[in-house]
Amino acid sequence: MEKAIKNYEDVDSWKTIMFLYNSAIKEVGTKLEILNDEFQHVHQYNPIEHIKTRVKSPESIVKKLRKYGYEISIENMVKYVNDIAGVRLICSFTSDIYRLAEMIGNQSDLKVLSIKDYIKNPKESGYKSYHMLVSVPIFLSDSVVDTKVEIQIRTIAMDFWASLEHKIYYKFEGHAPEYISRELKECAEMVSTLDEKMLSLNEAILECLENQEELNESAKRKKSNQQDQRVLQGLD
């Protein structure tokens, strides 16, 4: 990549840009960990199972620019490649996805540039995920630079399918046989069914626990009332 950059831009500029993307990953990662910790503190529940981060490799950036017909330059890289810095949030349930998206959108120092909801509108392949392109300010010694980060939010099941789909298509260089694509789409439907069942099961468990808690509270109140009556009878 650096050889390619030398033909268009100064290598120092390239290193500075990549420093910004790495810094943006750290900023967003820290914000998400704080949100997760706060949620645990308030609700005794962690919506985020785990966080994955990555900065796109030089080869992948060049490949993407060529794919869309852009000249290889730092200016085009920053302008047209939106997923150089990427954060992936893995959740347990689909309800967590939209909850997290709302929490991220409410961050005053993050600007949401675009949203792609592939959960409500899956790709033809069956791919599901919730994508947010955000801009985060990176405070340097002499300036503030807004830097783009793509945040992908998906369930464990969605991430499992997407990871395997990527590996399979990589082997075929994007040209898998039709029956492979068909089977993958069927697997995506199974994943959606699994997510729906797990969410429904979790809601049933929460309702059961809530009902049990109400019964326990009712029993405590009844016991307390009985004790008060005995005390009053003793006074009589």
Side-chain angles (χ1 to χ4, degrees):
M1 176 64 177
E2 288 196 358
K3 289 182 179 179
I5 290 294
K6 283 179 181 178
N7 295 329
Y8 299 91
E9 308 280 351
D10 185 74
V11 173
D12 287 339
S13 297
W14 159 257
K15 289 180 178 178
T16 298
I17 290 295
M18 297 314 293
F19 162 77
L20 289 171
Y21 282 116
N22 276 292
S23 300
I25 285 282
K26 292 177 183 178
E27 286 280 351
V28 173
T30 299
K31 289 179 182 297
L32 294 171
E33 288 175 2
I34 292 171
L35 285 175
N36 200 39
D37 290 344
E38 180 201 10
F39 209 88
Q40 172 65 37
H41 174 69
V42 175
H43 302 285
Q44 290 75 54
Y45 170 69
N46 295 93
I48 302 174
E49 287 287 337
H50 54 271
I51 301 172
K52 299 178 182 178
T53 62
R54 67 103 182 94
V55 175
K56 216 171 186 65
S57 69
E59 293 76 16
S60 295
I61 294 171
V62 169
K63 186 177 180 180
K64 196 154 193 176
L65 285 172
R66 285 175 176 162
K67 179 182 178 181
Y68 293 109
Y70 295 116
E71 180 185 355
I72 300 170
S73 68
I74 289 178
E75 182 181 357
N76 285 342
M77 178 184 89
V78 172
K79 186 175 181 180
Y80 297 113
V81 184
N82 292 327
D83 61 344
I84 294 175
V87 177
R88 186 173 299 157
L89 303 184
I90 312 302
C91 308
S92 298
F93 308 104
T94 50
S95 57
D96 293 331
I97 294 173
Y98 293 102
R99 185 179 296 163
L100 280 168
E102 182 180 7
M103 290 164 67
I104 292 168
N106 288 336
Q107 294 289 296
S108 61
D109 55 347
L110 283 183
K111 182 180 180 182
V112 179
L113 302 177
S114 67
I115 290 174
K116 293 180 180 178
D117 190 343
Y118 295 117
I119 297 172
K120 292 181 179 177
N121 302 290
K123 290 186 178 181
E124 182 64 28
S125 64
Y127 173 86
K128 283 189 172 185
S129 188
Y130 191 93
H131 293 193
M132 302 179 74
L133 182 63
V134 303
S135 176
V136 58
I138 303 301
F139 291 85
L140 304 176
S141 59
D142 58 352
S143 62
V144 179
V145 183
D146 291 322
T147 307
K148 290 184 290 187
V149 177
E150 184 188 63
I151 302 174
Q152 298 179 357
I153 317 175
R154 57 179 70 154
T155 64
I156 299 169
M158 290 175 193
D159 189 57
F160 168 74
W161 183 91
S163 297
L164 293 185
E165 188 254 6
H166 177 75
K167 289 179 181 177
I168 290 170
Y169 272 101
Y170 182 80
K171 293 175 182 176
F172 290 103
E173 297 184 347
H175 301 287
E178 185 179 345
Y179 78 93
I180 295 287
S181 299
R182 187 172 60 251
E183 292 286 340
L184 279 169
K185 192 166 185 178
E186 288 181 10
C187 288
E189 292 170 359
M190 294 178 191
V191 164
S192 295
T193 301
L194 176 62
D195 269 334
E196 289 171 6
K197 285 184 176 293
M198 294 305 292
L199 177 60
S200 177
L201 179 60
N202 184 60
E203 289 173 345
I205 290 170
L206 292 176
E207 184 179 354
C208 182
L209 291 173
E210 186 177 335
N211 290 338
Q212 186 60 51
E213 188 175 341
E214 288 178 1
L215 287 173
N216 291 340
E217 287 297 322
S218 178
K220 287 180 182 178
R221 287 195 297 269
K222 184 177 180 181
K223 185 177 180 180
S224 178
N225 289 336
Q226 289 173 343
Q227 289 173 343
D228 289 344
Q229 287 175 3
R230 284 197 294 268
V231 170
L232 290 173
Q233 288 171 359
L235 290 174
D236 291 341

